[in-house]
Amino acid sequence: MSKVLIVGGGAAGMFASLAAAESGHEVLVFEKNEKLGKKLFITGKGRCNLTNACDMEQLFRAVISNSKFLYSSFYGFTNQDAIAYFESLGLRTKIERGERVFPVSDHSSDVIRALSERMHFLGVQVFLNTTVKEIVEKEGVFHSVVLEDGRNVHGDACIIATGGLSYPSTGSTGDGFRFAEALGHQITECMPSLVPMETKEPWVKELQGLSLKNVNVTICDGKKKLYDEFGEMLFTHYGVSGPLILSASSYVGKKLKEKELQLSIDLKPALSAEQLDRRILKEFEENQNRQFKNAIGSLFPSKLIPVMLGLSGIPSEKKVNVISKEERSYFVNLIKHFSMTLTGLRDYNEAIITRGGVRTKEVDPGTMESKLVKGVYFAGEVLDLDALTGGFNLQIAWSTAYAAGNNID
């Protein structure tokens, strides 16, 4: 029986404490917030997208950084294992669109409660409002943690589960990166991920709050296509957000830090340009004596109409029966390639996760133990691992935490 000290009481920290306690160890969790699971509480808009029920192949495909590193931990504790485990704690789950798994209650607080009650049952000692300032190693072996009040707590093993830098208000302020660096680890370049993006065009502000469903989004660097996906997105006062955009940020974030990129939206992906032209022609024929501005209402959400009118180059008062084939062709192209300039990512306050972290080459993928300091383990977002939205990042937390907590001597 070892004495295991866990730094961080979020998803990975709580889960690691259960794995370690179920393996028979004495477990102490240090959390600097006033309660456990603060970031978990706001995930999935407060509903907590626990995991994704997809097959293993898709699970690996959803991981953007270092998916091969997760081979051992994903198979050691799969997404199906995660669902079964939460069900065993009395948390009923349901599967929604995109195989996303949620608690039946739609309350993230029920997920936190299920984990907390199990921790209490297993005798895990939780220290809230307790900040760890330093992790001490002696001759390459973990020794103790130093708390903010100066106390030194000795242990046989330490699991660093402090999260990344996203949503700093929940306590993710990069402590784990500092600890890891002090222990000799390299931290790969960090940036916000699964994060909204900013645009240059002033008319985007007029579309604030508009949600577009069933559109195709393409992001290009010159002629090079970086992202191409179908789904849902949202306009904001600063640019674009929503599922498609958040996922896109994982692919284009690095490039967007260097230069502006072009975002193109196909507003009618189900129609070819020829089919769309015929559809518009039909609208015009049915409204032949009407002005252009009054003849396109069925094509777009009302909020989008003034912007499309402005960008079309067709005078809004022009009667549709005198609109030329060239003007119509330009309008079709605008609908199929509704474009704007991406200028940057929003900051960590709006990022669901952090891209970058502790270099995976310096961590044992089977046990999550540091290859540099014996007895130090990592779990969750502190590692250089990130995935798309849909419950995949929480699965990384559960699987790595399980590997860490389960492999302590």
Side-chain angles (χ1 to χ4, degrees), residues 1 223 282:
M1 178 174 168
K223 290 206 167 95
K282 187 166 171 282

Side-chain angles (χ1 to χ4, degrees), residues 53-73:
C54 64
D55 60 35
M56 291 304 280
E57 201 179 308
Q58 207 180 325
L59 192 62
F60 283 104
R61 270 205 310 271
V63 179
I64 303 293
S65 307
N66 302 311
S67 60
K68 286 191 178 76
F69 174 82
L70 286 162
Y71 193 85
S72 181
S73 59

Side-chain angles (χ1 to χ4, degrees), residues 339-369:
S339 299
M340 57 216 73
T341 312
L342 295 173
T343 56
L345 301 172
R346 298 293 279 176
D347 65 18
Y348 285 113
N349 291 307
E350 294 173 54
I352 294 174
I353 55 159
T354 306
R355 184 171 192 180
V358 175
R359 199 158 170 257
T360 53
K361 281 193 171 72
E362 299 168 354
V363 179
D364 183 320
T367 63
M368 298 298 138
E369 186 173 19

